[in-house]
């Protein structure tokens, strides 16, 4: 049944009825700018390189023409069970899963169910994917680069290269992210296995130099499409960006107060490292009892899918995460995106906040900054065209002491939490030191004692960045805690810890810890003397080599060189004298008789 006017029908090449029906069922009334620009080009068998802001509908921009191209071929010739017509490459498992789910909506239609799709990502054995393709077949592959490369290079029954010889469309989604994550070599390997007679769609949020290089290598005369919803900003129209200045030790209290006062239903909180996500998920589960708290980071394997699914389905929840879900992932009803601190690069800020205010919905984002980081606001405004408003938060009623006591108690109850707290703090400091904006976000400006207080540490960890003055600003537990007396809840870990303590008491060395061998510092005068002695030794060694070389050139018999042949100084002096006499004979400075006399040859003959 034809759709009403204005619903995806203003194309020069009309879409098929099954595709239109699914689009209508998903609730999309009309095309977004990126869809209107790219779909006709791909349907017209053009290679396309599309640049569009996050949340602009890029997924449908390549899924719709993909299905149309497969349907067009099907009208003339049926797709075989093991014949692959489309490949979609995505940088992360989460994004690949999301694309797979969108495709599943279309393939559930009775006239599209003839196409089979297969998702190829990490987290399971490669053999499982091989068997699934061989037994079930696939016409569409949604994959991450590493797994797809493995399957192309795999020897045996699979022979994936033969299955893609009639490929209609290759899609590289979030291409800038693919290259940023170091997948360039894998992408080039994959391209080498694909047929040249294909269409290619390259979708990215930014056109970096690496993306342009990939365009030259993988696309044939591409059409460039750049779509921005609003020229003055790089974030969605209905997104409100806020920032707040907070003292280092008050950061956790400020976060808790903000969650309480804003009546947040569903929010994502971005942290700099996996270790931070792990520790703060334990702490916030205790401190925010009214909401479900979930954790997701890149070191997780199969758990990531379960957690993402639970967060999507939850009515009220906090998702603590790293940048592994900062791009492309579409999660409905996220009303706030919170950032513990500035991301490692400015572009990541735009991608993080793009997890809310998607597809015409309203959204809000907040970044928490220290007073020393005030220049970051102006930097974002100029560099990323992001407009931010300052929020004031009243922390007079917040109970810092009570919050810190909760964190201290969590560590006292389980040494594993104590380990995670210290690991999180150290990783935070290390990540901050590597920040791309280190001209305005400088590690030396941070008071690590006050930051360690916000983490609720029981004591300051030993690390090169920890200066003596930070002990004065650090606020630990009221009573000193013997950290060696802390006990693991896990009995196996506790037994291992007790064994290490025993070894340490006997030997003074901590088992499993690499021993650092530090070169003992010596006075400059002695060091200079050693350098001069080494120079003299090298000089004598060179002289010996030159003498030997000259002797060989002069025809003087020289003992065969051994691995470590050693000559006395007397022998070397004698050899040098022989060479000098030989040179005098050649230059006729002495007669041969005089040479023989000096060498003692006549005496030997007599």
């Amino acid at each position: 049944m034809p759709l009403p006017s204005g619903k995806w029908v203003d194309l020069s090449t009309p879409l098929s009825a099954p595709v239109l029906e699914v689009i209508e069922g998903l609730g999309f009334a009309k095309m977004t700018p990126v869809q209107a620009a790219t779909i006709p080009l791909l349907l017209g068998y053009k290679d396309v390189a599309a640049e569009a802001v996050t949340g602009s509908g890029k997924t449908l921009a390549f899924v719709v023409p993909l299905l149309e191209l497969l349907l067009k071929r099907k009208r003339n010739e049926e797709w075989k069970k093991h014949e692959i017509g489309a490949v979609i490459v995505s940088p992360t498992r989460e994004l690949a899963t999301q694309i797979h789910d969108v495709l599943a909506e279309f393939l559930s239609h009775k006239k599209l169910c003839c196409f089979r799709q297969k998702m190829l990502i990490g987290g399971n054995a490669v053999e499982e994917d091989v068997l699934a393709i061989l037994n079930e077949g696939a016409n569409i592959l949604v994959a991450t680069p590493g797994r797809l490369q493995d399957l192309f290079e795999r020897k045996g029954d699979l022979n994936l290269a033969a299955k893609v010889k009639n490929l209609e469309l290759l899609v590289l989604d979030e291409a800038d992210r693919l290259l940023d994550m170091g997948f360039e070599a894998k992408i080039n390997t994959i391209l080498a296995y694909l047929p040249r007679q294909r269409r290619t769609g390259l979708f990215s949020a930014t056109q970096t130099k690496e993306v342009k290089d990939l365009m030259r290598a993988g696309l044939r005369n591409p059409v460039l499409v750049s779509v921005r919803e609003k020229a003055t900003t790089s974030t969605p129209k209905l997104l409100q960006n806020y920032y707040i200045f907070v003292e280092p030790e008050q950061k956790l209290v400020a976060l808790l107060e903000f969650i309480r006062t804003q009546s947040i239903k569903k929010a994502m909180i971005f942290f700099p490292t996996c270790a931070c996500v792990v520790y703060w998920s334990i702490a916030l589960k205790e401190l925010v009892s009214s909401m479900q708290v979930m954790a997701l980071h890149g070191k997780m394997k199969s758990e990531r899918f379960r957690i993402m699914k639970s967060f999507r389905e939850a009515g009220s929840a906090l998702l603590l995460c790293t940048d592994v879900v900062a791009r492309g992932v579409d999660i409905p009803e996220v009303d706030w995106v919170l950032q513990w601190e500035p991301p490692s690069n400015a572009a990541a800020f735009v991608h993080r906040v793009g997890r809310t205010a998607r597809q015409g919905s309203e959204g809000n984002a907040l970044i928490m900054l220290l007073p020393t980081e005030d220049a970051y606001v102006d930097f974002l405004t100029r560099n990323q065209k992001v407009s931010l408003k300052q929020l004031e938060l009243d922390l007079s009623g917040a109970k810092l002491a009570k919050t810190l006591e909760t964190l201290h108690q969590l560590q006292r109850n389980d040494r594993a939490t104590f380990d995670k707290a210290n690991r999180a703090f150290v990783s935070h400091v290390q990540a901050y030191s590597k920040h791309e904006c280190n001209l305005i976000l400088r590690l030396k400006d941070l008071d690590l004692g006050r930051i360690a207080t916000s983490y609720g540490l029981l004591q300051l960890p030993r690390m090169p960045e920890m200066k003596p003055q930070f002990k004065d600003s650090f606020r630990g537990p009221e009573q000193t805690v013997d950290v060696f007396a802390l006990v693991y809840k896990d009995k196996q870990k506790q037994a291992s810890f007790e064994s290490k303590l025993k070894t340490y008491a006997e030997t003074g060395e901590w088992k499993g810890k690499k021993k650092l061998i530090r070169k003992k510092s010596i006075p400059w005068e002695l060091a200079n003397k050693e350098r001069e002695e080494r120079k003299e030794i090298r000089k004598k060694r060179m002289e010996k080599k030159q003498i030997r070389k000259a002797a060989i050139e002069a025809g003087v018999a020289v003992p065969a060189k051994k691995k470590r042949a050693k000559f006395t100084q007397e022998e070397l002096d004698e050899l040098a004298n022989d060479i000098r006499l030989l040179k005098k004979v050649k230059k006729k400075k002495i007669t041969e008789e005089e040479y023989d006399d000096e060498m003692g040859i006549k005496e030997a003959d007599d």
Side-chain angles (χ1 to χ4, degrees):
M1 184 175 68
L3 293 176
S5 177
K7 292 194 173 184
W8 287 72
V9 292
D10 52 341
L11 291 171
S12 57
T13 304
L15 301 181
S16 59
V19 174
L20 286 172
E21 288 174 15
V22 176
I23 291 171
E24 184 183 39
L26 292 173
F28 297 109
K30 64 177 183 178
M31 289 182 290
T32 63
V34 68
Q35 293 161 357
T38 56
I39 290 175
L41 292 170
L42 288 172
L43 290 179
Y45 296 95
K46 300 287 186 182
D47 284 356
V48 176
E51 176 189 9
V53 297
T54 182
S56 58
K58 291 194 290 287
T59 303
L60 282 189
F62 59 76
V63 166
V64 169
L66 178 153
L67 293 170
E68 290 292 340
L69 290 172
L70 295 187
L71 281 170
K72 187 174 182 179
R73 146 74 195 272
K74 182 179 178 294
R75 295 187 189 104
N76 300 320
E77 182 183 356
E78 287 288 338
W79 286 91
K80 296 177 183 177
K81 179 181 177 181
H82 293 95
E83 194 176 9
I84 296 169
V87 173
I88 303 172
V89 182
S90 170
T92 65
R93 301 174 190 176
E94 286 73 23
L95 188 51
T97 304
Q98 181 176 293
I99 296 168
H100 177 273
D101 293 343
V102 172
L103 267 169
E105 292 281 351
F106 283 89
L107 300 185
S108 62
H109 191 281
K110 59 183 179 181
K111 292 187 178 179
L112 297 174
C113 63
C114 55
F115 301 121
R116 303 176 181 86
Q117 71 161 325
K118 176 62 183 171
M119 184 167 63
L120 307 173
I121 58 177
N124 64 312
V126 180
E127 288 73 15
E128 294 179 19
D129 289 336
V130 173
L131 290 174
I133 294 173
L134 291 174
N135 296 334
E136 303 166 15
N139 305 119
I140 305 169
L141 297 182
V142 181
T144 49
R147 179 53 57 93
L148 187 58
Q149 181 191 12
D150 287 347
L151 292 173
F152 269 121
E153 294 178 338
R154 190 176 181 84
K155 308 298 180 184
D157 299 335
L158 182 61
N159 192 9
L160 190 60
K163 294 176 172 56
V164 298
K165 63 182 180 180
N166 292 321
L167 187 75
E168 288 283 346
L169 180 63
L170 166 69
V171 175
L172 300 176
D173 192 25
E174 298 288 353
D176 50 342
R177 181 65 170 160
L178 279 170
L179 301 176
D180 182 53
M181 294 173 68
F183 289 131
E184 186 173 0
K186 290 180 171 60
I187 295 296
N188 290 333
T189 301
I190 292 167
L191 291 176
Y193 281 99
L194 301 178
R196 290 185 176 273
Q197 297 297 324
R198 66 169 193 271
R199 297 282 61 78
T200 302
L202 189 150
F203 293 80
S204 64
T206 53
Q207 292 288 350
T208 62
K209 177 185 178 297
E210 291 76 13
V211 172
K212 291 176 182 176
D213 292 341
L214 181 60
M215 285 166 52
R216 286 191 288 269
L219 281 69
R220 302 169 65 189
N221 299 319
V223 178
L224 301 178
V225 175
S226 182
V227 178
R228 295 191 179 277
E229 293 183 14
K230 196 175 181 181
T232 58
T233 179
S234 59
T235 55
K237 290 180 180 179
L238 299 179
L239 172 64
Q240 295 293 326
N241 280 300
Y242 301 97
Y243 67 94
I244 182 175
F245 289 126
V246 60
E247 296 298 330
E249 69 276 12
Q250 294 278 357
K251 186 173 277 192
L252 176 59
V253 174
L255 178 65
L256 296 173
E257 188 68 13
F258 185 81
I259 293 172
R260 184 183 66 81
T261 57
Q262 294 297 319
S263 301
I264 293 175
K265 291 184 178 180
K266 189 180 285 190
M268 298 174 71
I269 309 178
F270 284 92
F271 289 92
T273 68
C274 299
C276 289
V277 170
V278 171
Y279 170 62
W280 286 119
S281 65
I282 296 171
L284 290 180
K285 282 177 184 177
E286 186 71 22
L287 294 165
V288 188
S289 56
S290 60
M291 298 180 72
Q292 192 175 359
V293 178
M294 306 175 189
L296 194 152
H297 56 79
K299 292 183 179 179
M300 292 178 168
K301 300 300 180 183
S302 56
E303 293 176 275
R304 284 158 57 174
F305 304 108
R306 177 184 58 79
I307 293 166
M308 186 62 73
K309 185 174 183 292
S310 299
F311 184 64
R312 280 194 172 102
E313 296 173 352
S316 176
L318 295 175
L319 178 66
L320 280 58
C321 54
T322 59
D323 283 336
V324 71
V325 289
R327 297 182 64 156
V329 178
D330 189 19
I331 305 171
E333 300 175 356
V334 173
D335 50 351
W336 279 92
V337 168
L338 309 176
Q339 300 185 66
W340 179 256
E341 67 170 4
S344 59
N345 60 74
F349 177 93
V350 175
H351 294 297
R352 284 181 175 186
V353 300
R355 296 316 96 211
T356 185
R358 298 178 67 83
Q359 296 292 337
S361 300
E362 294 182 355
N364 305 280
L366 173 74
I367 183 168
M368 305 174 71
L369 300 173
L370 304 178
T372 57
E373 299 169 339
D374 57 336
Y376 190 70
V377 177
D378 183 61
F379 171 77
L380 281 177
T381 304
R382 296 173 181 272
N383 184 272
Q384 293 294 314
K385 295 183 179 180
V386 175
S387 177
L388 297 99
K389 300 177 183 177
Q390 185 174 1
L391 280 182
E392 298 290 342
L393 193 62
D394 183 13
L395 298 178
S396 57
K399 299 178 180 178
L400 176 60
K402 186 177 180 181
T403 303
L404 292 179
E405 177 54 34
T406 302
L407 296 179
H408 296 158
Q409 193 58 45
L410 285 172
Q411 295 173 65
R412 291 193 196 98
N413 294 342
D414 187 0
R415 185 181 177 85
T417 306
F418 167 78
D419 292 341
K420 290 169 182 174
N422 283 274
R423 203 172 295 126
F425 172 76
V426 172
S427 69
H428 174 170
V429 174
Q430 291 173 342
Y432 201 93
S433 67
K434 299 172 184 176
H435 205 292
E436 284 188 8
C437 303
N438 54 19
L439 289 176
I440 57 175
L441 302 176
R442 301 179 299 181
L443 183 63
K444 66 179 183 179
D445 292 336
L446 299 184
D447 187 333
L448 297 186
R450 298 173 73 186
I451 293 176
T453 300
S454 71
Y455 273 75
L457 300 188
L458 298 180
Q459 64 178 25
L460 290 176
R462 293 180 180 178
M463 54 192 300
E465 298 84 357
M466 194 60 66
K467 307 301 179 186
Q469 65 266 26
F470 295 143
K471 291 182 180 179
D472 298 332
S473 59
F474 173 65
R475 181 175 173 181
E478 293 182 1
Q479 295 183 348
T480 304
V481 178
D482 181 6
V483 295
F484 287 100
L486 298 177
V487 179
Y488 288 99
K489 281 187 177 180
D490 187 314
K491 293 182 179 179
Q492 189 174 355
K493 281 188 176 181
Q494 181 59 26
S496 174
F497 179 65
E498 289 174 355
S499 174
K500 290 178 180 179
L501 279 177
K502 185 178 179 181
T503 304
Y504 179 73
E506 294 172 352
T507 64
E509 294 183 5
W510 190 259
K511 185 180 178 183
K513 187 175 181 180
K514 292 182 180 179
K515 188 176 181 181
L516 295 175
I517 302 175
R518 298 182 182 273
K519 189 176 180 180
K520 189 177 179 181
S521 60
I522 58 176
W524 181 86
E525 293 82 358
L526 293 178
N528 190 51
K529 184 180 178 182
E530 288 183 1
R531 282 194 296 271
E532 293 301 325
E533 289 175 353
R534 288 194 295 269
K535 282 183 182 179
E536 190 63 29
I537 292 171
R538 285 195 296 269
K539 184 179 178 181
K540 289 182 178 179
R541 192 181 297 129
M542 289 300 298
E543 288 176 354
K544 292 177 183 177
K545 287 183 179 179
Q546 290 171 358
I547 291 171
R548 180 181 177 83
K549 183 179 178 182
I552 294 172
E553 290 175 351
V556 177
V558 179
K561 188 176 180 181
K562 298 179 181 179
K563 288 184 178 180
R564 290 281 181 180
K566 293 183 179 180
F567 302 97
T568 63
Q569 189 61 43
E570 184 180 353
E571 290 172 331
L572 290 171
D573 292 341
E574 185 179 350
L575 179 61
N577 186 56
D578 292 346
I579 295 169
R580 186 168 57 254
L581 289 172
L582 185 60
K583 287 182 177 179
K584 285 184 177 181
V585 170
K586 286 186 175 182
K587 293 179 180 180
K588 297 182 179 181
K589 290 184 177 180
I590 60 173
T591 63
E592 291 186 6
E593 290 77 10
E594 290 174 328
Y595 172 76
D596 292 341
D597 186 52
E598 289 286 341
M599 295 290 291
I601 297 175
K602 283 187 176 181
E603 293 179 7
D605 289 341
D606 292 341

